[in-house]
PDB file of all heavy atoms in Angstrom:
ATOM      1  N   VAL A 105       1.968   3.938  -0.274  1.00  0.00           N
ATOM      2  CA  VAL A 105       0.551   4.185   0.089  1.00  0.00           C
ATOM      3  C   VAL A 105       0.543   5.064   1.390  1.00  0.00           C
ATOM      4  O   VAL A 105      -0.204   6.059   1.442  1.00  0.00           O
ATOM      5  CB  VAL A 105      -0.173   2.912   0.337  1.00  0.00           C
ATOM      6  CG1 VAL A 105      -1.576   3.158   0.997  1.00  0.00           C
ATOM      7  CG2 VAL A 105      -0.409   2.152  -0.963  1.00  0.00           C
ATOM      8  N   PHE A 106       1.439   4.781   2.321  1.00  0.00           N
ATOM      9  CA  PHE A 106       1.466   5.591   3.576  1.00  0.00           C
ATOM     10  C   PHE A 106       1.836   6.995   3.216  1.00  0.00           C
ATOM     11  O   PHE A 106       1.163   7.940   3.702  1.00  0.00           O
ATOM     12  CB  PHE A 106       2.508   4.965   4.550  1.00  0.00           C
ATOM     13  CG  PHE A 106       2.544   5.619   5.867  1.00  0.00           C
ATOM     14  CD1 PHE A 106       1.893   5.028   6.906  1.00  0.00           C
ATOM     15  CD2 PHE A 106       3.287   6.785   6.110  1.00  0.00           C
ATOM     16  CE1 PHE A 106       1.834   5.673   8.194  1.00  0.00           C
ATOM     17  CE2 PHE A 106       3.303   7.406   7.380  1.00  0.00           C
ATOM     18  CZ  PHE A 106       2.581   6.829   8.407  1.00  0.00           C
ATOM     19  N   GLY A 107       2.856   7.212   2.381  1.00  0.00           N
ATOM     20  CA  GLY A 107       3.345   8.514   2.060  1.00  0.00           C
ATOM     21  C   GLY A 107       2.229   9.401   1.363  1.00  0.00           C
ATOM     22  O   GLY A 107       2.014  10.554   1.686  1.00  0.00           O
ATOM     23  N   VAL A 108       1.631   8.708   0.307  1.00  0.00           N
ATOM     24  CA  VAL A 108       0.583   9.422  -0.456  1.00  0.00           C
ATOM     25  C   VAL A 108      -0.593   9.816   0.456  1.00  0.00           C
ATOM     26  O   VAL A 108      -1.148  10.871   0.461  1.00  0.00           O
ATOM     27  CB  VAL A 108       0.154   8.604  -1.644  1.00  0.00           C
ATOM     28  CG1 VAL A 108      -1.094   9.194  -2.300  1.00  0.00           C
ATOM     29  CG2 VAL A 108       1.299   8.407  -2.621  1.00  0.00           C
ATOM     30  N   LEU A 109      -1.039   8.792   1.270  1.00  0.00           N
ATOM     31  CA  LEU A 109      -2.252   9.028   2.161  1.00  0.00           C
ATOM     32  C   LEU A 109      -1.950  10.074   3.163  1.00  0.00           C
ATOM     33  O   LEU A 109      -2.777  10.964   3.461  1.00  0.00           O
ATOM     34  CB  LEU A 109      -2.549   7.706   2.835  1.00  0.00           C
ATOM     35  CG  LEU A 109      -3.671   6.844   2.301  1.00  0.00           C
ATOM     36  CD1 LEU A 109      -3.974   5.712   3.278  1.00  0.00           C
ATOM     37  CD2 LEU A 109      -4.862   7.670   2.032  1.00  0.00           C
ATOM     38  N   LYS A 110      -0.748   9.995   3.757  1.00  0.00           N
ATOM     39  CA  LYS A 110      -0.385  10.975   4.824  1.00  0.00           C
ATOM     40  C   LYS A 110      -0.498  12.379   4.262  1.00  0.00           C
ATOM     41  O   LYS A 110      -1.026  13.255   4.994  1.00  0.00           O
ATOM     42  CB  LYS A 110       1.083  10.715   5.268  1.00  0.00           C
ATOM     43  CG  LYS A 110       1.486  11.527   6.450  1.00  0.00           C
ATOM     44  CD  LYS A 110       1.765  10.581   7.677  1.00  0.00           C
ATOM     45  CE  LYS A 110       2.117  11.503   8.813  1.00  0.00           C
ATOM     46  NZ  LYS A 110       1.629  10.878  10.148  1.00  0.00           N
ATOM     47  N   GLY A 111      -0.069  12.564   3.066  1.00  0.00           N
ATOM     48  CA  GLY A 111      -0.164  13.890   2.484  1.00  0.00           C
ATOM     49  C   GLY A 111      -1.584  14.307   2.071  1.00  0.00           C
ATOM     50  O   GLY A 111      -1.803  15.458   1.939  1.00  0.00           O
ATOM     51  N   ALA A 112      -2.461  13.369   1.896  1.00  0.00           N
ATOM     52  CA  ALA A 112      -3.790  13.617   1.410  1.00  0.00           C
ATOM     53  C   ALA A 112      -4.806  13.670   2.527  1.00  0.00           C
ATOM     54  O   ALA A 112      -5.920  14.202   2.328  1.00  0.00           O
ATOM     55  CB  ALA A 112      -4.223  12.548   0.389  1.00  0.00           C
ATOM     56  N   MET A 113      -4.472  13.240   3.722  1.00  0.00           N
ATOM     57  CA  MET A 113      -5.496  13.233   4.847  1.00  0.00           C
ATOM     58  C   MET A 113      -5.711  14.569   5.341  1.00  0.00           C
ATOM     59  O   MET A 113      -4.794  15.365   5.643  1.00  0.00           O
ATOM     60  CB  MET A 113      -4.911  12.381   5.974  1.00  0.00           C
ATOM     61  CG  MET A 113      -4.727  10.885   5.585  1.00  0.00           C
ATOM     62  SD  MET A 113      -6.005   9.840   6.149  1.00  0.00           S
ATOM     63  CE  MET A 113      -5.748   9.972   7.891  1.00  0.00           C
ATOM     64  N   PRO A 114      -6.978  14.979   5.476  1.00  0.00           N
ATOM     65  CA  PRO A 114      -7.340  16.306   5.984  1.00  0.00           C
ATOM     66  C   PRO A 114      -6.966  16.418   7.441  1.00  0.00           C
ATOM     67  O   PRO A 114      -6.274  17.409   7.893  1.00  0.00           O
ATOM     68  CB  PRO A 114      -8.817  16.393   5.792  1.00  0.00           C
ATOM     69  CG  PRO A 114      -9.316  15.005   5.734  1.00  0.00           C
ATOM     70  CD  PRO A 114      -8.185  14.175   5.194  1.00  0.00           C
ATOM     71  N   THR A 115      -7.332  15.475   8.289  1.00  0.00           N
ATOM     72  CA  THR A 115      -7.073  15.523   9.683  1.00  0.00           C
ATOM     73  C   THR A 115      -6.865  14.074  10.152  1.00  0.00           C
ATOM     74  O   THR A 115      -7.030  13.145   9.319  1.00  0.00           O
ATOM     75  CB  THR A 115      -8.168  16.074  10.513  1.00  0.00           C
ATOM     76  OG1 THR A 115      -9.355  15.272  10.200  1.00  0.00           O
ATOM     77  CG2 THR A 115      -8.465  17.479  10.276  1.00  0.00           C
ATOM     78  N   GLY A 116      -6.505  13.946  11.367  1.00  0.00           N
ATOM     79  CA  GLY A 116      -6.337  12.537  11.873  1.00  0.00           C
ATOM     80  C   GLY A 116      -5.029  11.990  11.538  1.00  0.00           C
ATOM     81  O   GLY A 116      -4.436  12.273  10.467  1.00  0.00           O
ATOM     82  N   GLY A 117      -4.448  11.283  12.463  1.00  0.00           N
ATOM     83  CA  GLY A 117      -3.136  10.693  12.297  1.00  0.00           C
ATOM     84  C   GLY A 117      -3.173   9.346  11.620  1.00  0.00           C
ATOM     85  O   GLY A 117      -3.910   8.476  12.085  1.00  0.00           O
ATOM     86  N   LEU A 118      -2.456   9.249  10.617  1.00  0.00           N
ATOM     87  CA  LEU A 118      -2.314   7.902   9.907  1.00  0.00           C
ATOM     88  C   LEU A 118      -1.345   7.100  10.756  1.00  0.00           C
ATOM     89  O   LEU A 118      -0.162   7.450  10.907  1.00  0.00           O
ATOM     90  CB  LEU A 118      -1.819   8.092   8.494  1.00  0.00           C
ATOM     91  CG  LEU A 118      -1.657   6.831   7.636  1.00  0.00           C
ATOM     92  CD1 LEU A 118      -3.016   6.105   7.527  1.00  0.00           C
ATOM     93  CD2 LEU A 118      -1.123   7.107   6.268  1.00  0.00           C
ATOM     94  N   GLU A 119      -1.832   5.999  11.395  1.00  0.00           N
ATOM     95  CA  GLU A 119      -0.952   5.175  12.249  1.00  0.00           C
ATOM     96  C   GLU A 119      -0.183   4.199  11.463  1.00  0.00           C
ATOM     97  O   GLU A 119       1.053   4.086  11.634  1.00  0.00           O
ATOM     98  CB  GLU A 119      -1.840   4.440  13.263  1.00  0.00           C
ATOM     99  CG  GLU A 119      -2.569   5.367  14.235  1.00  0.00           C
ATOM    100  CD  GLU A 119      -1.646   5.934  15.254  1.00  0.00           C
ATOM    101  OE1 GLU A 119      -0.581   5.337  15.607  1.00  0.00           O
ATOM    102  OE2 GLU A 119      -1.957   7.073  15.699  1.00  0.00           O
TER     103      GLU A 119
END
Side-chain angles (χ1 to χ4, degrees):
V105 169
F106 187 95
V108 170
L109 262 187
K110 186 114 185 148
M113 297 261 292
T115 54
L118 182 58
E119 295 287 331

